[in-house]
Amino acid sequence: MIKNKMIFKACIFDLDGVIVDTARYHFMAWKRLADQLNIKFTEKDNERLKGVSRMDSLEIILELGNMKPDRKKKEEFAALKNNWYVDFISRMTPNEILPGSLEFIQEIRKAGIKTAIGSASKNTPMILGRVGIEKLFDAVADGNIVHKAKPDPEVFLTGAHMIGIEPDKCVVFEDAIAGVQAALNAGMMCVGIGSPAVLTKAHMVVAGLHEMSLSKLKKIKI
Ligand code: BG6
Ligand code: MG
């Protein structure tokens, strides 16, 4: 009999940039706000917003424009951006699921591995619903129930708790530097989605879930 070397029991997925490409919608909505405020905001600046909460993202943009509005104004700006963003994501279709995601998640679920979402986004339920993948996850930990932003480990620890798996038996899939750090802070293994030059702290880095398989995951080095 072949000895089962598998040391993980669950996979926790960040949503934006890992399973769906919503980063461009975030960018389009932030850009619209920045244009209205006469703030120069480029795609390069947008990289800094990945994995960062809505209010923290707004702070970064306001800092770029050297603006210091009061709290009420900030809430107004964040609401404006979110309305535009929701307008984009409410038109999403299953075609916008990133390549290989469904196949990989289905493969690990068939092997008995639990799956959860760990995302900062308060729009997680709408996105999962629009692309029709709610049933692929045993639990959803998102910005509606978690309040400490990545790199705080809260979102991943909450996800692990919801599915009843110890943190050291979880693998996180993340595209943001702050998200990789959050996984490590949670005591979890981490597969970075993107470039190894950027996600230097991840245990393994792939370009996307299309490059993942159960056998590759078993080779992860801790
Ligand atoms: C993260 C995104 O998943 O969610 C960030 O990477 C975003 O760009 C954050 O700001 C919060 O999202 P939302 O949908 O609650 O504004
Ligand atoms: Mg992300």
Side-chain angles (χ1 to χ4, degrees), residues 14-18 50-51 150 174-176:
D14 172 47
L15 180 64
D16 294 317
V18 172
K50 280 192 183 168
K150 298 170 186 177
E174 250 298 349
D175 70 317

Side-chain angles (χ1 to χ4, degrees), residues 15-83:
L15 180 64
D16 294 317
V18 172
I19 297 177
V20 286
D21 180 19
T22 39
R24 62 201 175 101
Y25 296 133
H26 278 297
F27 175 67
M28 284 152 73
W30 283 127
K31 175 80 180 139
R32 190 164 166 186
L33 180 74
D35 285 350
Q36 273 200 7
L37 300 176
N38 276 320
I39 297 174
K40 191 171 162 277
F41 177 62
T42 64
E43 290 208 40
K44 192 166 170 252
D45 297 322
N46 190 54
E47 284 301 303
R48 290 175 59 199
L49 272 46
K50 280 192 183 168
V52 176
S53 73
R54 195 180 305 167
M55 288 316 276
D56 289 350
S57 300
L58 176 65
E59 292 293 350
I60 293 174
I61 292 174
L62 293 173
E63 197 190 294
L64 287 172
N66 238 326
M67 279 182 68
K68 288 191 176 61
D70 62 21
R71 198 193 149 111
K72 199 166 155 270
K73 261 282 166 235
K74 283 185 194 172
E75 274 163 15
E76 239 173 68
F77 293 156
L80 257 182
K81 179 267 172 179
N82 192 56
N83 287 343

Side-chain angles (χ1 to χ4, degrees), residues 181-197:
Q181 190 57 54
L184 301 184
N185 290 345
M188 300 179 179
M189 289 167 274
C190 186
V191 176
I193 304 292
S195 150

